[in-house]
Amino acid sequence: QGIPYLQGQTLCELGQLYLQLSQENGPEAEEWQSKAMTNLTHAAKLFESLGAAYDLELTQQALKQVA
């Protein structure tokens, strides 16, 4: 699936890292949450366009944690 797939995986991992940072309730929590949403949303769009259903599902589950 190539580079777009790897981009999606990277964005998803980065989004999950930002999500973890946002849950530490520090003064930057809202900023980390925003970054998590941005990266996870972009990853979901990539996975959807590639037809990568499993990765899309994992990314959507992470997005639910952001909301």
Side-chain angles (χ1 to χ4, degrees), residues 18 21-22 26-39:
Y18 289 152
L21 290 169
S22 76
E28 300 90 10
E30 191 172 312
E31 183 179 343
W32 290 124
Q33 190 172 29
S34 175
K35 288 182 178 188
M37 178 68 80
T38 299
N39 283 275

Side-chain angles (χ1 to χ4, degrees), residues 4 42-52 56:
H42 192 126
K45 288 178 184 177
L46 281 171
F47 290 141
E48 186 174 16
S49 72
L50 293 168
L56 177 59

Side-chain angles (χ1 to χ4, degrees), residues 3-64:
I3 291 175
Y5 180 75
L6 292 175
Q7 270 186 309
Q9 284 185 314
T10 302
L11 288 167
C12 186
E13 289 293 325
L14 191 56
Q16 290 176 351
L17 173 64
Y18 289 152
L19 181 59
Q20 286 179 331
L21 290 169
S22 76
Q23 293 172 346
E24 293 179 6
N25 295 323
E28 300 90 10
E30 191 172 312
E31 183 179 343
W32 290 124
Q33 190 172 29
S34 175
K35 288 182 178 188
M37 178 68 80
T38 299
N39 283 275
L40 290 168
T41 300
H42 192 126
K45 288 178 184 177
L46 281 171
F47 290 141
E48 186 174 16
S49 72
L50 293 168
Y54 177 76
D55 296 287
L56 177 59
E57 176 63 30
L58 292 178
T59 304
Q60 289 173 333
Q61 288 175 12
L63 276 166
K64 289 178 186 176

